[in-house]
Amino acid sequence: MLYLWLKALHIVSIVCWFAGLFYLPRLFVYHAMSEDQPSRERFKVMERKLYRGIMLPSMIATLVFGIWMIVINPGLFSTGGWLHAKLTLVLLLIGYHHACGAQLKRFARDDNTRGHVFYRWFNEIPVVFLLAIVILVVVKPF
């Protein structure tokens, strides 16, 4: 029963984390397009609150519940290579999360050198991660 609760909390955490991973780069698009100081300051506040208040706690919760599930059911590692591939993608996703944090710091310092087109493409990266991870977990192709 504990495992099912952990799985439910893991999924909720993932949904919250991905909501932030989808929205923060979209804010970067708008921030990069903004031309007046009040708009830029507003985006700085929104980005900071999203990253620190939603994304970071959601990422930590996702990792805690995921690791907890593996600890109480270590047999998951012998169910195939899908879990190893998923965990590799999760590590890369954590890297993307931190890249978002680095961009946030650049915007906070008014040191952004990239245009909105870059952030439009940057915004698509978590979609690829989500598709790959969900397919690995549901289909378990190997």
Side-chain angles (χ1 to χ4, degrees), residues 51-100:
Y51 188 81
R52 292 186 185 156
I54 295 173
M55 290 173 63
L56 191 57
S58 298
M59 180 189 71
I60 292 168
T62 297
L63 296 174
V64 166
F65 294 128
I67 291 167
W68 198 349
M69 285 191 300
I70 290 171
V71 166
I72 67 171
N73 190 5
L76 285 172
F77 278 111
S78 62
T79 61
W82 69 269
L83 181 62
H84 297 85
K86 176 199 170 194
L87 294 175
T88 300
L89 290 174
V90 169
L91 286 174
L92 292 171
L93 189 61
I94 292 168
Y96 177 80
H97 174 101
H98 289 294
C100 286

Side-chain angles (χ1 to χ4, degrees), residues 29-124:
V29 170
Y30 301 138
H31 195 156
M33 293 173 61
S34 65
E35 297 178 2
D36 60 293
Q37 193 59 32
S39 293
R40 287 192 290 270
E41 293 303 319
R42 185 179 328 109
F43 283 117
K44 288 177 189 179
V45 171
M46 293 169 67
E47 292 159 359
R48 187 185 74 248
K49 287 183 177 185
L50 177 62
Y51 188 81
R52 292 186 185 156
I54 295 173
M55 290 173 63
L56 191 57
S58 298
M59 180 189 71
I60 292 168
T62 297
L63 296 174
V64 166
F65 294 128
I67 291 167
W68 198 349
M69 285 191 300
I70 290 171
V71 166
I72 67 171
N73 190 5
L76 285 172
F77 278 111
S78 62
T79 61
W82 69 269
L83 181 62
H84 297 85
K86 176 199 170 194
L87 294 175
T88 300
L89 290 174
V90 169
L91 286 174
L92 292 171
L93 189 61
I94 292 168
Y96 177 80
H97 174 101
H98 289 294
C100 286
Q103 288 301 130
L104 179 132
K105 289 176 184 175
R106 283 187 196 95
F107 275 114
R109 293 188 312 261
D110 292 320
D111 195 26
N112 176 51
T113 58
R114 296 187 168 115
H116 68 92
V117 175
F118 170 82
Y119 294 109
R120 288 181 192 278
W121 285 103
F122 187 72
N123 190 42
E124 301 304 322

